[in-house]
Amino acid sequence: MSDKQNPLRKGLRREHDIKPFVMVIFGAGGDLTSRKLAPALYNLMVDGLLPQSLAVVGFSRGDTTDSKFRTAMADAIGKFSRRPVDSAIMERLAASLWFIGSDFDDPKGYQILKERLDTWEREKGAQNRLFYLATPPAAYPVIARRLGESGLNRASAADRFVRLAVEKPFGRDTESAMALNDQLHQVFPEQQIFRLDHYLGKETVQNILVFRFANGIFEPLWNRQYIDHVQITVAESIGVGTRGGYYDQAGAARDMVQNHLLQLLSLVAMEPPVAFEADAVRSEKVKVLRAIHPFSPRDVQTNAVRGQYTDGVADGDPVLGYRDEAGVPSDSRTETFVALKLLVDNWRWAGVPFYLRTGKRLAKRCSEIAIQFQRVPHRFFRSLDMPEIEPNVLTLRIQPDEGISLKFGAKVPGPTVRIQSVHMDFLYGTAFLDEPPEAYERLLLDCLHGDSTLFTRHDEVEAAWTLVTALLNGWAQANDPVPVYEAGSWGPLEAMALIERDGRRWRRL
Amino acid sequence: MTILRRTLDSDRVAPHQIESLWADLRLESLEKSPAQPGSIHARTQTLVTLAKNPTRELERAWKFVSIKHPGRLIALFTDPGVDVPAVVVEWSHPDSACSGSEMVGMAVKGPLKQHWAELVLPLLIPELPAYLWLAHPEDPDWSELRSLWAGIDHIILDTARAAKPWQMWAGLLQHRLPELGTSDLEWIRTDPWRQILASCFDQASCLALLGDLSAVTMRGSPSAISRSSWLMAWLGSRLDWNGGPPFNHLASTDNRPIAYHFQEDARAKHLSEVTLLFETDETFCRITETRQQLTAIVQQKGRTLFETSLPTLKEGVGHAVSEALNQGFDPLFGDAIRWLQGEKSQREGPHA
């Protein structure tokens, strides 16, 4: 029911108007449900953001009962919720949890699901449906097809919704991503599909748009006239852990570059959208992705570096090298590190390199975007025999120490003119003492509201894959040895050379 | 929390000396504060609280507000219960464990307007919104308060405990400046009620009933008069009713009478139940409040059309004040005031 028709809805905040729904989590036995989805649902319920009439159905293989599923979810929430568990609210959520044990390809399971959904619709008024695919990507087409065959992909009336949420990775390359989009589109129109990249649910990532477009002072400087280069770093200190088998099929380019890093780049580089609406924002992001200079085989050699960690020391403890991790073949050529130099071929960014780096077992966990401005055009202070004045740097820290800082030069008090770089800092933790919601809480809420601004569109995914596929093909063709780096370092020496060749250097984090 | 205390007789201290006193106090407080070196507490506003004396409830409220809205809290106590020379000042600086705001408490003697320009105005953070929260429950002296409007952007009232909330509002409307924003915490506290009522009529099957609304009954403690009145004002302005307070001659746009009844319930803490009755037999929408949870049910001839629930705003005046700071000017509030004054809603119109 739209605002125009309900006179009482006008002017009220929308966060409380989620209609009764059923959420079906395919693959509910996995880590994602325990660590992220269940705690997110719990915290949304604590905040009163979920309707009373809801049901959450785990759909997965196995003979788990409703009762065992509730216990497992309660345990998971107790372990992973960002807030302590309130027993009354937990009881209420547990009463909404159900389980259907079925293979993803078994039509009988979908029949049972349909009967349950129809019953809840009659008895609880839960007329809206969210199908969440927390499964390996290979299962997506099967599940979508079965949902279509059982008629569950269609809402029972015009004012009700049916939505499909899928996790990354969305495909392995351009071809598979396009094929997957086609397969899903045969059952669900694009506006019903929500592709998650949990980075977009982070407050600090959402703040990039607010920072750029709610403040008038930065946009005039946000171009090649004033910016020398941009560095985007997503560094992890952890290794692959127990996920070696999965990771070896993916690698850093698929796991991180295709989604998180390119999302950050597109938010930094995009043009202002005409409105803060899903398609307006996403269209601008797609334009950026399409403007990135594509990799030729030669570009892969000169503008891309990959690496693989060897044994070293992380957080003070000795750690294994990648090839010694469980599930990883001893001759693996999968990259755990990627560094890229990208150019965005448009009017705003022509000639401004974007340096991206990401990797596992790096020196510290850190995600940030650093915008380094041009140096002063004239050395006003050269007569004072001072070292080169450092350029201004605007840093958007995604995690940890979430915040924004600006580096600029100031005179050191004293009888002579001495200039020192200082930082002007905004820290989320001290400015807003309230704990922000977890990314999945925000994303689930938006999904239930039908707001797809923070979700990737089909063309966005494909454009990102086009770039990364060319990179992967270039590496495969070249078949060079994969450079190595010691765990606990900042990546292979080749990554240093990538940026130092241009007379720049990676930020010391 | 680092607390510094000073006593001064503002009659003998020149204004510029008071300003440098504030600067000294602030600096001293910063030096002594255990705040992390290099951290900066971002400031979002100044909140001036006018109260007779410090109470536990106020202290809890300030602590809550200072976390949600770091800034500067200034408390003016006009009847602190002790004989003060002229002004007693306590200044505390935020530390990461305690709060996000600086706090200046002043117990003053004599007429407020005498002290306002000297003591309060210099402390308003430049270029940031300044709010004045009138924490007195009783009818304030509006002619005196009017002298305090200088430097203030928004006034927050709380008619929860006012014996005659409409008199409070009449006084404010008469004396305030047009550009001054206003909030009533009792309006803020109706937010969950309005949200849940709106949710009920988001459903197509329930929306059809709105045209047959015939009566509204509310139940609550005697102190719920203001809250129930704001709810009625909201309904009246949204549904374009004719009539106004005391709500005994209400009519819909097609001139059907709409009955209103408020039932006092001594056991209730505040507003505890709202029922909308419709002309169709046995059809109603009922919202009840139990243990900080609102539950709504819409039934027609015994069949449930819709039900839902929502938490209420937490008890504690700090939550309501924080919401007031979040919302600033609420156009729906403006519409409700205009409806109460007998004007038709201007939904896109200027601030009331």
Side-chain angles (χ1 to χ4, degrees), chain A residues 4-18:
Chain A
K4 287 182 190 153
Q5 292 171 290
N6 179 3
L8 301 184
R9 173 55 65 194
K10 174 115 185 183
L12 292 179
R13 291 194 309 259
R14 59 187 279 277
E15 60 217 35
H16 292 294
D17 70 348
I18 294 178

Side-chain angles (χ1 to χ4, degrees), chain A residues 244-245 248-249 308 322-334:
Chain A
D248 203 60
Q249 303 300 311
Q308 195 182 80
Y322 176 69
R323 290 182 181 178
D324 296 318
E325 302 267 26
V328 176
S330 57
D331 58 352
S332 168
R333 288 170 56 80
T334 300

Side-chain angles (χ1 to χ4, degrees), chain A residues 129-445:
Chain A
R129 294 158 189 185
L130 170 62
F131 298 111
Y132 198 109
L133 307 194
T135 67
Y140 296 173
V142 167
I143 295 170
R145 180 168 50 83
R146 289 293 185 198
L147 287 171
E149 286 165 2
S150 52
L152 289 169
N153 60 324
R154 289 186 299 274
S156 49
D159 62 341
R160 295 163 195 179
F161 69 75
V162 175
R163 293 179 185 135
L164 184 77
V166 294
E167 283 276 343
K168 71 163 193 82
F170 196 87
R172 278 183 56 77
D173 50 29
T174 315
E175 197 183 327
S176 59
M178 290 173 78
L180 183 53
N181 272 327
D182 284 341
Q183 285 163 328
L184 295 186
H185 285 154
Q186 282 169 26
V187 184
F188 293 91
E190 175 63 22
Q191 60 266 33
Q192 283 177 244
I193 301 175
F194 289 71
R195 297 174 194 76
L196 274 95
D197 178 339
H198 73 271
Y199 254 60
L200 296 180
K202 292 180 184 293
E203 288 286 336
T204 43
V205 173
Q206 294 165 46
N207 194 37
I208 297 171
L209 287 184
V210 171
F211 184 79
R212 281 191 64 192
F213 303 128
N215 296 290
I217 59 172
F218 300 110
E219 196 55 21
L221 306 177
W222 213 264
N223 55 67
R224 61 189 173 86
Q225 280 190 291
Y226 296 98
I227 292 176
D228 178 74
H229 71 277
V230 178
Q231 291 186 29
I232 301 176
T233 301
V234 176
E236 297 177 278
S237 58
I238 57 171
V240 296
T242 56
R243 298 171 70 238
Y246 154 76
Y247 190 86
D248 203 60
Q249 303 300 311
R254 289 188 173 94
D255 191 48
M256 300 295 281
V257 174
Q258 186 272 333
N259 36 75
H260 304 329
L261 274 92
L262 288 179
Q263 283 294 323
L264 294 178
L265 185 154
S266 59
L267 289 171
V268 168
M270 64 187 269
E271 296 298 320
V274 296
F276 191 67
E277 286 165 4
D279 274 336
V281 171
R282 298 190 298 179
S283 293
E284 294 304 332
K285 286 162 70 185
V286 169
K287 282 189 211 167
V288 171
L289 293 172
R290 287 184 180 154
I292 296 174
H293 193 83
F295 280 107
S296 64
R298 193 193 142 132
D299 291 329
V300 172
Q301 294 299 307
T302 55
N303 293 340
V305 170
R306 55 181 169 162
Q308 195 182 80
Y309 66 84
T310 60
D311 56 302
V313 174
D315 296 328
D317 294 322
V319 293
L320 296 173
Y322 176 69
R323 290 182 181 178
D324 296 318
E325 302 267 26
V328 176
S330 57
D331 58 352
S332 168
R333 288 170 56 80
T334 300
E335 78 289 352
T336 61
F337 173 94
V338 174
L340 302 174
K341 174 184 169 185
L342 299 180
L343 293 168
V344 181
D345 292 340
N346 65 15
W347 200 273
R348 182 188 287 263
W349 296 111
V352 179
F354 283 73
Y355 297 101
L356 278 56
R357 61 176 166 168
T358 181
K360 291 210 177 276
R361 282 286 186 229
L362 294 180
K364 66 193 275 196
R365 172 180 173 257
C366 172
S367 298
E368 66 156 43
I369 300 164
I371 292 121
Q372 181 164 312
F373 291 86
Q374 308 265 11
R375 291 183 183 274
V376 292
H378 171 57
R379 284 190 63 206
F380 178 70
F381 296 101
R382 65 175 180 270
S383 60
L384 300 172
D385 195 26
M386 286 174 43
E388 194 84 27
I389 296 173
E390 288 184 34
N392 304 121
V393 181
L394 178 70
T395 308
L396 310 174
R397 285 189 303 277
I398 308 299
Q399 64 188 21
D401 295 330
E402 291 83 350
I404 299 171
S405 88
L406 177 66
K407 183 171 98 170
F408 59 94
K411 180 182 178 300
V412 177
T416 55
V417 175
R418 224 164 34 97
I419 299 174
Q420 179 147 313
S421 286
V422 296
H423 286 258
M424 190 158 63
D425 260 307
F426 156 70
L427 285 167
Y428 262 93
T430 50
F432 303 111
L433 300 181
D434 218 9
E435 199 188 348
E438 285 275 338
Y440 273 91
E441 290 171 44
R442 174 65 197 265
L443 293 172
L444 263 183
L445 199 62

Side-chain angles (χ1 to χ4, degrees), chain A residues 1 6-7 9 52 430-431 434, chain B residues 40 68 70 198 201-202 238 308:
Chain A
M1 186 59 59
N6 179 3
R9 173 55 65 194
Q52 182 159 25
T430 50
D434 218 9
Chain B
I40 296 174
K68 294 278 189 180
F201 297 100
D202 282 336
R238 297 318 318 151
T308 189

